[in-house]
């Protein structure tokens, strides 16, 4: 099985080199490659790896019987399986599926103080259980948030190197349009990524077969797995409501007004009854919530109306897998996005922003047609971002830039299916450049 190079690989190498490293907790939704990446890192960097999976081996929940001190845990693990060896300074202890046994997080304090063994914990839905984990290990761990593959990691999987990515960024910095060949190659790669999403199992199948064959079946199995997680882990909540919200996302994204409307989820549905469902899906890493700003100005946090939001899938492949049969066939056979074109591109841009470290914000003025898809920021400036299905006039973007009312906005960004350009303080980039926006803006500061 081919190993897909990931950004966490670089982070893990740096973590290992830090002499003051603390136990590491890797968070992220299910089946995004956490376990595979940690195993690969362990095999390359340690003489000895002790892996404990709390789903597959629930017997290891007994290891805390004598308390959480390192010596007691090591002794109890060795009793359960005498073949597990602990060599000081050369052993990685990997606790997987932490969501099944958050109590083990209490031990991280003792591992950090002991210092003889490196410890990595990993699990899905950790956002749901994080209160229990955080209270047990505050100050004694490092957190890492992992996602499914972004477009850069997808390019790596396709055999493109860092020089290719640096060249894309150089085009943006120099505002140098791509030639026809470059544009054609990048657009084709990006469309494939839109259709597939970034789940490793889906991407690996596509790489190995060099076609979309089997990709939809894997995507649908992932959907089924996510729904099963809702049934298993949504304790004390209305699971049917969570699933209703989940299944409504593609329907509402396909509409011109992409604001998520609870009233459309079910007859008589009210915001207060569904608020917890949206928080649950967000904490589980299944969706990205884009909140409406009260006013387009800095700072962004605290400047939102939490009753108005758009919901995107954290991985566009999940959105694609929920489309109807006709749309599926058209998408894979003809690479035609149909009525979902705007929804899919907006979802992929939102996904790219979250994976590069941005929060998601939009703005809609109630007393006018002024509306903007996303906002990103630098230290001193706010940049409205418009995702256009066609390269038309960006009326709202121009209003935000030119009006004296919006003091933090001086430039805008438009993402289109066309080429690089600049006109009247609006930077235009192809969709496939979305993952580089943060790096581009950092270079401008």
């Amino acid at each position: 099985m081919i190993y897909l190079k990931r950004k966490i690989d670089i982070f893990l190498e740096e973590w290992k080199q830090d002499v003051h490293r603390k136990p590491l907790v890797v968070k992220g939704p299910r089946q995004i490659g956490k376990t595979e990446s940690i195993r690969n890192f362990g095999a390359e960097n340690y003489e000895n790896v002790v892996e404990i999976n709390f789903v597959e081996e629930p017997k290891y929940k007994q290891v805390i019987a004598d308390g959480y001190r390192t010596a007691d845990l090591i002794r109890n693990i060795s009793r359960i399986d005498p073949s597990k060896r602990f060599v000081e300074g050369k052993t990685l202890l990997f606790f997987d599926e932490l969501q099944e046994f958050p109590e083990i997080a209490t031990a991280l304090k003792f591992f950090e103080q002991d210092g003889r063994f490196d410890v990595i914990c990993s699990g899905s839905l950790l956002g749901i259980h994080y209160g229990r984990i955080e209270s047990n290990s505050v100050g004694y761990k490092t957190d890492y948030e992992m996602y499914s593959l972004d477009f850069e990691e997808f390019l790596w999987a396709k055999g493109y190197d860092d020089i290719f990515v640096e060249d894309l960024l150089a085009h943006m910095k120099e505002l140098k349009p791509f030639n026809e060949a470059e544009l054609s190659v990048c657009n084709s790669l990006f469309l494939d990524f839109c259709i597939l999403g970034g789940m490793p199992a889906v991407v690996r199948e596509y790489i190995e077969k060099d076609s979309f064959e089997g990709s939809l079946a894997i995507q649908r199995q992932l959907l089924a797995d996510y729904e099963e997680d809702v049934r298993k882990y949504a304790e004390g909540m209305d699971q049917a409501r969570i699933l209703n919200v989940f299944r409504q996302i593609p329907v509402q994204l396909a509409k011109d007004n992409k604001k998520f409307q609870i009233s459309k989820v079910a007859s008589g549905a009210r915001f207060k009854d569904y608020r917890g469902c949206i928080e649950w899906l967000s904490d589980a890493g299944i969706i990205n919530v884009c909140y409406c700003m009260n006013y387009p100005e800095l700072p962004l946090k605290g400047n939102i109306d939490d009753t108005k939001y758009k919901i995107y899938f954290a991985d566009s492949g999940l959105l694609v897998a929920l489309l109807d049969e006709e749309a599926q066939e058209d998408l894979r056979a003809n690479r035609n996005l149909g009525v979902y074109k705007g929804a899919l591109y907006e979802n992929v841009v939102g996904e790219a922003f979250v994976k590069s470290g941005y929060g998601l914000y939009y703005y809609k003025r109630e007393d006018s047609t002024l509306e903007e898809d996303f906002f990103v920021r630098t230290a001193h400036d706010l940049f409205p971002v418009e995702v256009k299905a066609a390269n038309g006039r960006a009326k709202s973007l121009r209003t935000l830039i030119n009006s004296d009312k919006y003091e933090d906005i001086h430039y805008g960004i438009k993402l289109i299916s066309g080429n690089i350009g600049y006109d009247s303080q609006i930077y235009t980039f192809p969709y496939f450049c979305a993952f580089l926006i943060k790096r581009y803006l950092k270079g401008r500061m």
Side-chain angles (χ1 to χ4, degrees):
M1 187 173 75
I2 59 169
Y3 177 71
L4 299 176
K5 177 186 167 189
R6 304 297 302 275
K7 290 182 176 175
I8 192 175
D9 299 344
I10 301 159
F11 176 85
L12 290 170
E13 293 288 348
E14 291 171 351
W15 174 78
K16 177 81 167 68
Q17 289 165 16
D18 182 358
V19 292
H20 302 297
R21 62 186 171 277
K22 298 177 181 180
L24 178 64
V25 177
V26 179
K27 302 195 297 178
R30 65 141 66 226
Q31 298 189 37
I32 56 163
K34 299 184 297 295
T35 300
E36 185 183 1
S37 293
I38 295 165
R39 279 179 182 160
N40 182 71
F41 165 71
E44 290 186 350
N45 290 276
Y46 292 87
E47 185 179 297
N48 212 32
V49 178
V50 175
E51 180 177 339
I52 291 172
N53 183 308
F54 289 116
V55 167
E56 294 174 4
E57 304 167 299
K59 62 188 177 185
Y60 282 102
K61 293 179 183 179
Q62 302 166 23
V63 297
I64 61 170
D66 299 320
Y68 293 95
R69 296 192 179 278
T70 300
D72 295 331
L73 286 174
I74 299 303
R75 186 173 60 251
N76 284 332
I77 291 169
S78 299
R79 278 176 183 161
I80 293 170
D81 183 355
S83 71
K84 293 192 187 307
R85 293 174 60 249
F86 292 87
V87 182
E88 290 184 23
K90 296 179 179 180
T91 299
L92 173 67
L93 181 54
F94 173 27
F95 293 117
D96 203 4
E97 303 291 4
L98 186 64
Q99 78 280 356
E100 282 292 318
F101 194 51
E103 289 78 7
I104 198 68
T106 302
L108 299 183
K109 171 183 177 179
F110 298 101
F111 277 114
E112 200 266 341
Q113 291 172 340
D114 183 277
R116 288 178 293 158
F117 311 105
D118 287 351
V119 179
I120 299 180
C121 300
S122 168
S124 56
L125 297 112
L126 289 189
I128 310 298
H129 299 276
Y130 218 62
R132 289 159 72 189
I133 294 167
E134 184 65 28
S135 62
N136 291 342
S137 56
V138 63
Y140 296 98
K141 62 174 176 50
T142 299
D143 290 326
Y144 183 87
E145 189 93 29
M146 191 173 174
Y147 306 96
S148 62
L149 281 84
D150 66 8
F151 186 50
E152 185 168 14
E153 291 170 316
F154 178 76
L155 290 173
W156 293 344
K158 288 286 288 179
Y160 293 91
D161 58 15
D162 293 337
I163 295 169
F164 184 83
V165 174
E166 285 303 318
D167 186 55
L168 297 183
L169 186 58
H171 272 79
M172 294 170 72
K173 287 177 177 176
E174 296 163 21
L175 294 176
K176 175 185 167 187
F178 296 101
N179 64 41
E180 279 188 38
E182 291 168 328
L183 207 56
S184 174
V185 166
C186 291
N187 279 329
S188 180
L189 286 164
F190 187 70
L191 188 52
D192 285 357
F193 178 67
C194 288
I195 294 167
L196 293 161
M199 290 303 204
V202 180
V203 174
R204 188 177 285 110
E205 185 86 355
Y206 160 80
I207 298 292
E208 288 174 350
K209 293 186 175 176
D210 197 25
S211 77
F212 293 122
E213 181 192 344
S215 60
L216 179 57
I218 298 173
Q219 285 172 327
R220 286 186 169 159
Q221 182 56 53
L222 287 165
L223 276 180
D225 292 343
Y226 274 123
E227 295 201 0
E228 184 59 35
D229 277 348
V230 173
R231 296 185 184 95
K232 183 176 179 181
Y233 293 107
E235 302 161 0
M237 292 191 65
D238 190 331
Q239 297 167 5
R241 283 181 181 167
I242 295 175
L243 292 173
N244 283 345
V245 169
F246 183 67
R247 292 165 186 159
Q248 264 285 309
I249 298 169
V251 180
Q252 300 212 22
L253 276 181
K255 294 176 180 171
D256 287 339
N257 173 20
K258 294 181 174 65
K259 186 181 102 172
F260 195 84
Q261 295 173 287
I262 291 293
S263 59
K264 305 282 191 213
V265 173
S267 178
R270 294 173 301 176
F271 172 73
K272 69 182 184 70
D273 297 327
Y274 277 82
R275 181 179 205 145
C277 302
I278 290 152
E279 286 177 359
W280 192 95
L281 287 165
S282 177
D283 286 344
I286 296 170
I287 62 169
N288 294 324
V289 183
C290 180
Y291 286 103
C292 185
M293 297 165 68
N294 292 317
Y295 195 76
E297 65 182 358
L298 296 172
L300 296 174
K301 284 186 178 174
N303 177 23
I304 58 164
D305 181 344
D306 64 3
T307 67
K308 295 176 187 170
Y309 44 83
K310 295 184 285 187
I311 298 178
Y312 300 106
F313 283 103
D315 187 89
S316 60
L318 296 179
L319 169 59
V320 168
L322 278 166
L323 303 185
D324 54 71
E325 292 293 338
E326 292 76 19
Q328 290 288 352
E329 197 171 320
D330 209 13
L331 192 60
R332 283 173 163 77
N334 307 316
R335 296 160 71 89
N336 178 27
L337 305 178
V339 296
Y340 295 101
K341 184 176 184 178
L344 187 54
Y345 282 138
E346 220 174 283
N347 197 101
V348 174
V349 170
E351 182 186 336
F353 284 172
V354 169
K355 287 176 177 177
S356 58
Y358 283 127
L360 297 186
Y361 305 91
Y362 78 102
Y363 181 64
K364 170 119 179 56
R365 216 168 93 182
E366 294 298 333
D367 59 350
S368 79
T369 57
L370 181 66
E371 182 169 8
E372 206 51 78
D373 299 322
F374 297 107
F375 287 82
V376 295
R377 65 164 300 176
T378 59
H380 306 293
D381 293 304
L382 187 61
F383 288 77
V385 180
E386 194 152 314
V387 182
K388 302 286 284 185
N391 188 15
R393 290 183 69 246
K395 187 181 172 188
S396 292
L397 208 49
R398 294 188 187 283
T399 301
L400 288 165
I401 293 165
N402 296 329
S403 172
D404 294 335
K405 294 179 185 175
Y406 312 110
E407 293 180 1
D408 296 324
I409 299 171
H410 306 103
Y411 298 92
I413 295 170
K414 189 166 57 167
L415 295 168
I416 62 166
S417 63
N419 215 324
I420 288 177
Y422 177 76
D423 180 50
S424 304
Q425 292 158 280
I426 296 175
Y427 296 92
T428 302
F429 300 114
Y431 299 127
F432 60 78
C433 291
F435 79 100
L436 287 168
I437 293 292
K438 190 168 191 177
R439 271 178 260 181
Y440 169 72
L441 290 178
K442 194 174 181 182
R444 290 181 83 255
M445 289 165 66

